Amino acid sequence: MPTESYYPCSAGCANCPRRQQCAVSSPLEVFLQENPYRGLLRIQAFRGPQTFPVQGVAVTVSHAFSDGSEYVFFTGTTDESGIIDAISLPAPARANSMSPDQPNPDAVYIVRAQADGFVPMEALVDIFQDIQTVQPVQLRLE
């Protein structure tokens, strides 16, 4: 599972530094073509009923493809306020979310969070064009 940032090719994989590792129709390339816009994700990690922020939570944001592979779009840790802000992620056109008959109204990502002394957490998050989604991460002690 790669952890480097993705490279949004504008002409297939011709400009991609990982060109030798993937084909033009790789799941990542198809996903990026279907999600040419950007949406934002904010992580808020806390312990208890949203009262105690947790610093140093390791967060991974990835997308799972139908072939079983997964691509990591972001890794980072929460700050002293338990926050990671403005994670920019690929998203489909806003028009897709305005009509129920559209096949891809949003892009779905997997958020995984873990910190020493806490039970690891996983959640699915929907990302929309030009919208900041806030994902609370409520940690429980082990």
Side-chain angles (χ1 to χ4, degrees):
M1 181 166 38
T3 57
E4 71 275 4
S5 296
Y6 73 94
Y7 188 84
C9 302
S10 60
C13 287
N15 299 323
C16 182
R18 296 184 324 125
R19 182 175 183 197
Q20 301 302 320
Q21 299 172 2
C22 65
V24 171
S25 61
S26 72
L28 176 61
E29 186 69 20
V30 171
F31 179 76
L32 293 174
Q33 289 172 1
E34 291 174 351
N35 297 280
Y37 300 97
R38 309 301 285 176
L40 295 174
L41 175 62
R42 176 183 173 110
I43 303 293
Q44 295 178 322
F46 56 88
R47 184 176 145 227
Q50 298 187 357
T51 53
F52 303 106
V54 180
Q55 180 179 2
V57 177
V59 175
T60 302
V61 180
S62 62
H63 177 77
F65 300 105
S66 58
D67 69 354
S69 64
E70 194 171 308
Y71 188 85
V72 174
F73 282 89
F74 176 84
T75 58
T77 56
T78 57
D79 64 15
E80 63 278 353
S81 298
I83 293 174
I84 301 175
D85 208 5
I87 301 168
S88 180
L89 297 167
R94 180 188 319 254
N96 291 8
S97 65
M98 302 299 183
S99 183
D101 62 333
Q102 292 297 321
N104 298 318
D106 58 7
V108 179
Y109 293 89
I110 304 165
V111 173
R112 293 184 178 96
Q114 61 183 28
D116 290 340
F118 295 96
V119 176
M121 175 263 173
E122 182 174 304
L124 295 178
V125 178
D126 302 315
I127 299 296
F128 298 89
Q129 178 189 355
D130 298 329
I131 301 291
Q132 181 173 21
T133 301
V134 177
Q135 177 60 47
V137 174
Q138 185 171 0
L139 298 167
R140 295 183 331 224
L141 292 172
E142 286 186 317

